[in-house]
Amino acid sequence: MTNLRLYWAAMDGWTMTRRSIKHIVREKESLMMAIGLPVAIMIMFVAVFGGAIQTGTDYVNYVVPGVIITCAGFGSSIIAVSVTQDMIGGLFERLRSMPLHPSSLMVGHVIGGFVRNAIATTVVILVALLIGFQPEAGVVEWLGVIGILTLFMLSLNWLFVVFGLLVKNVETANAITFPMLFLPYVSSAFVPTETMPSWLHTFAENQPMTPLIETLRGLLLGTPIGTNLWLSIAWFGGLLIISFIVATILFKKRKAE
Amino acid sequence: MTDPVISVQYIKKRYGEHLVLDGLSFHVERGSIFALLGENGAGKTTMVRILATLIKADSGSAKIGGYDTDSESVSVKKLISLTGQYAAVDELLTGEENLQMIGQLNHLDHRTVKARTVELLEQFDLSGAAKKRVSTYSGGMRRRLDIAISLFANPEVIFLDEPTTGLDPRSRKNMWELIRKLADRGVTIFLTTQYLEEADQLADKIAVMNNGKIIETGTSEQLKSIIGKEKLELTFQDQASFDEASKVIKGQINESEKLISVETEGSTEILRRLLNTLHENQIEPVAMHFRKPTLDDVFLEITGKSAKGASSND
Ligand SMILES: Nc1ncnc2c1ncn2[C@@H]1O[C@H](COP(=O)(O)OP(=O)(O)O)[C@@H](O)[C@H]1O
Ligand SMILES: [Mg+2]
């Protein structure tokens, strides 16, 4: 009985994921933005600041991990708007009047968003290679990169589902995603944190984006990783679990209103 | 023989200070069309949402097919389908994809989903637009798709919340036709509307709602015997002729608009006599026209108050 319910919950999640993927492909502007913006940021950083910022390596190598996570953050943030739209439109009500687990709707957004993340990240890496990015990673390191990015993106996607559930209209959903997009800039993503004023330096050193970026850098370029891998897993594993639980609770609460 | 498929007893629902449903009770016969008639804000959608298991009532009980909408909601969900006030269709998907998605969510097998999709597109005159995105559909097409979707799993009870609000007159007539066809198949239809004419055209039984209460229930014939048929409205130029006229003819009097509504029962004889009476008294109305009875007439007859007059803009 439980197995059957799990089976159908998974099937419903898959149905809603396919729907989300269709949305992503058809909402061309969002997809172009999710890919185009990080690529533009990367080119700008490399071309404009590349000469001025001293990182001890080719700037393009230094900056790629930061661009990848900016890209993921941007792609994920679109989820908040889609979730809000579904909540205020009639689809959510219809699904709830049907005998199925409506959280398949959330799963659809999370996995669908992950597909968009994956497409955008691939494009970013390809463009980076074109403009001189020279990773030193072997197969194991690349698998590590994929693993840690998957954890990061899924946790971020659930977080944005939470944001989407919290707000009552699309404009607010848009606005709430904004701070997230700035977080990478006050980390070691684009400049070494030692160059920042001391208060900002303290923040940058201790916020979750920095260990993530240092882990990626280590895997891609062979710089020392230290505790950064475990810190990243703790931060984003924690975020994933908390966001998932909060999303589930909010979802039920929305039901009861 | 009565065989109620929906039984509602003393349902109350409060939002904050506002008692939205104040003890509703009614029954809906299996296979019939039931209309919940009320103005905007009367509480129609709230009642539908309770029946469709989306929200809980504060007190009272609602049963569908013998199952409680609260404690046995899973069984209820299997019997019903909901078409909300705003079309729940996915704009970015095609009509066909919308139907298939709901088919899959109903856990029907691949073949059945395909066959049923084709069948419903055909039935609802959407085959030509099957592969077009819903964002290109007209209001009427969206509504049809919305209803086609809600029929996918052959529900026994269908909720239609204001199915024609916002449609042009032609689409509205088409929708009426469609609702009648559904009823012919034996499906029970629970619809809400703001239009007396719509309830009159479609429903076997009408419940009139005002301020969270049902103020009258009956067939459309029974309601009409209360409110009468078409009315002739006579408007007068000045206060003097209006006062004079209201002495010699019988009807509903509207002081502020210098207007008298008279029932003519569709008889030219009555109409002629009426005009003669006015003529003999040397009163000429400045305007006359026939008007179909509205929901407001129902309120006026039943409660003695105009619904509009009773609300805040008075
Ligand atoms: N979730 C809610 N929270 C607070 N008030 C609500 C809510 N839903 C409905 N209402 C109020 O209940 C009243 C009836 O609403 P509704 O059932 O939508 O009426 P109708 O469908 O007849 O237009 C309205 O005054 C509305 O503002
Ligand atoms: Mg309503």
Side-chain angles (χ1 to χ4, degrees):
Chain A
M1 207 45 220
T2 318
N3 278 343
L4 199 63
R5 276 186 51 194
L6 268 177
Y7 169 76
W8 282 122
M11 289 304 284
D12 294 340
W14 173 230
T15 302
M16 295 318 287
T17 299
R18 286 202 319 259
R19 164 198 182 243
S20 288
I21 293 175
K22 281 181 189 154
H23 274 217
I24 287 164
V25 175
R26 289 175 194 183
E27 279 176 317
K28 295 234 162 44
E29 290 87 14
S30 293
L31 188 60
M32 293 320 268
M33 282 285 270
I35 298 172
L37 199 71
V39 168
I41 288 172
M42 177 167 64
I43 292 175
M44 187 188 75
F45 267 89
V46 172
V48 180
F49 307 124
I53 302 172
Q54 297 306 313
T55 59
T57 156
D58 255 3
Y59 188 63
V60 64
N61 287 333
Y62 184 81
V63 89
V64 163
V67 173
I68 291 174
I69 66 157
T70 309
C71 168
F74 193 75
S76 302
S77 70
I78 302 171
I79 290 179
V81 177
S82 319
V83 168
T84 309
Q85 261 164 357
D86 277 352
M87 292 297 129
I88 56 185
L91 184 70
F92 176 58
E93 297 255 291
R94 164 161 281 152
L95 296 187
R96 278 181 44 215
S97 75
M98 288 169 59
L100 54 89
H101 206 301
S103 67
S104 56
L105 189 60
M106 295 195 291
V107 173
H109 283 296
V110 169
I111 313 278
F114 179 71
V115 171
R116 174 172 45 211
N117 291 143
I119 297 172
T121 308
T122 309
V123 174
V124 165
I125 292 176
L126 289 178
V127 174
L129 290 171
L130 280 179
I131 61 171
F133 176 45
Q134 281 181 318
E136 287 161 22
V139 177
V140 178
E141 285 80 9
W142 274 112
L143 287 178
V145 168
I146 292 172
I148 194 81
L149 279 179
T150 302
L151 176 66
F152 170 64
M153 289 166 181
L154 288 179
S155 65
L156 216 53
N157 289 0
W158 276 109
L159 180 67
F160 280 106
V161 167
V162 169
F163 289 157
L165 288 171
L166 275 175
V167 302
K168 297 260 185 271
N169 60 57
V170 172
E171 290 73 28
T172 323
N174 251 320
I176 209 166
T177 64
F178 223 64
M180 271 313 292
L181 303 181
F182 278 106
L183 225 41
Y185 293 97
V186 281
S187 73
S188 64
F190 298 102
V191 294
T193 54
E194 297 84 48
T195 62
M196 299 175 182
S198 71
W199 60 274
L200 201 56
H201 172 76
T202 312
F203 174 79
E205 275 297 296
N206 292 294
Q207 69 127 318
M209 295 297 180
T210 297
L212 176 67
I213 284 163
E214 291 308 321
T215 305
L216 287 175
R217 228 168 243 152
L219 291 167
L220 289 169
L221 305 169
T223 54
I225 294 179
T227 56
N228 284 318
L229 176 62
W230 301 113
L231 270 175
S232 306
I233 292 176
W235 269 112
F236 294 104
L239 181 65
L240 178 68
I241 293 168
I242 292 169
S243 299
F244 175 77
I245 292 171
V246 174
T248 312
I249 292 170
L250 283 177
F251 200 79
K252 288 205 180 116
K253 240 186 90 186
R254 260 212 78 153
K255 206 185 239 184
E257 88 181 8
Chain B
M1 284 309 288
T2 66
D3 176 21
V5 66
I6 303 178
S7 303
V8 170
Q9 272 174 336
Y10 310 117
I11 286 284
K12 288 196 180 190
K13 177 75 186 176
R14 179 185 289 279
Y15 281 118
E17 288 292 285
H18 187 179
L19 189 55
V20 177
L21 300 178
D22 186 7
L24 291 198
S25 301
F26 57 84
H27 299 283
V28 178
E29 292 293 307
R30 195 179 296 279
S32 70
I33 303 184
F34 178 89
L36 195 56
L37 174 65
E39 298 209 318
N40 211 354
K44 304 181 296 294
T45 300
T46 306
M47 189 63 238
V48 167
R49 296 181 82 216
I50 290 171
L51 289 171
T53 74
L54 298 179
I55 53 172
K56 291 177 184 175
D58 297 337
S59 62
S61 92
K63 285 189 157 69
I64 297 183
Y67 299 111
D68 190 276
T69 53
D70 180 17
S71 59
E72 299 166 297
S73 64
V74 175
S75 304
V76 170
K77 284 173 205 269
K78 287 181 182 153
L79 295 178
I80 63 162
S81 84
L82 167 67
T83 304
Q85 196 165 346
Y86 307 100
V89 289
D90 191 320
E91 300 270 322
L92 285 172
L93 301 186
T94 66
E96 188 176 49
E97 287 168 337
N98 264 286
L99 282 161
Q100 285 173 348
M101 180 174 86
I102 296 295
Q104 283 150 4
L105 292 176
N106 272 302
H107 304 162
L108 301 169
D109 67 76
H110 187 66
R111 271 240 196 96
T112 316
V113 170
K114 268 198 144 167
R116 189 103 177 95
T117 299
V118 172
E119 182 189 333
L120 284 165
L121 286 168
E122 186 78 27
Q123 260 175 38
F124 285 82
D125 203 16
L126 290 167
S127 299
K131 305 240 187 272
K132 293 207 181 87
R133 285 191 204 172
V134 173
S135 52
T136 67
Y137 284 20
S138 69
M141 288 162 80
R142 264 166 228 236
R143 277 278 173 197
R144 292 209 300 277
L145 178 63
D146 205 22
I147 293 183
I149 288 172
S150 71
L151 291 179
F152 209 104
N154 288 313
E156 283 183 36
V157 178
I158 298 178
F159 294 97
L160 300 173
D161 195 6
E162 302 201 18
T164 67
T165 300
L167 293 189
D168 59 77
R170 208 175 65 105
S171 308
R172 170 168 296 162
K173 292 269 153 59
N174 289 341
M175 186 56 68
W176 288 355
E177 207 44 54
L178 201 147
I179 293 171
R180 286 194 194 103
K181 272 193 212 149
L182 291 181
D184 288 343
R185 289 197 224 161
V187 188
T188 307
I189 295 172
F190 184 113
L191 70 90
T192 76
T193 179
Q194 302 186 30
Y195 309 110
L196 178 63
E197 192 194 358
E198 183 160 291
D200 174 32
Q201 284 282 329
L202 296 173
D204 300 306
K205 193 162 129 193
I206 302 169
V208 185
M209 238 188 126
N210 190 26
N211 283 330
K213 286 198 168 88
I214 289 181
I215 55 171
E216 192 67 53
T217 322
T219 62
S220 81
E221 288 310 312
Q222 285 166 335
L223 281 184
K224 274 197 199 142
S225 71
I226 300 175
I227 55 170
K229 297 214 179 77
E230 266 193 343
K231 292 200 163 69
L232 177 68
E233 288 188 336
L234 302 161
T235 315
F236 298 91
Q237 180 90 55
D238 48 53
Q239 195 62 38
S241 54
F242 173 69
D243 289 340
E244 195 65 25
S246 48
K247 281 180 205 147
V248 297
I249 55 178
K250 269 192 281 172
Q252 281 173 9
I253 296 193
N254 182 334
E255 283 278 352
S256 57
E257 290 175 31
K258 300 196 199 59
L259 183 151
I260 305 178
S261 312
V262 190
E263 275 172 41
T264 60
E265 287 154 35
S267 140
T268 49
E269 179 57 27
I270 292 180
L271 185 60
R272 192 155 52 80
R273 259 191 266 147
L274 183 79
L275 293 176
N276 280 347
T277 311
L278 288 174
H279 188 69
E280 279 156 19
N281 289 279
Q282 281 146 26
I283 323 166
E284 298 299 332
V286 285
M288 344 189 312
H289 60 268
F290 283 102
R291 181 175 64 77
K292 293 211 163 100
T294 64
L295 185 51
D296 210 41
D297 293 311
V298 181
F299 291 134
L300 207 54
E301 287 298 333
I302 299 171
T303 65
K305 288 194 290 237
S306 162
K308 294 197 179 69
S311 67
S312 56
N313 57 6
D314 194 86

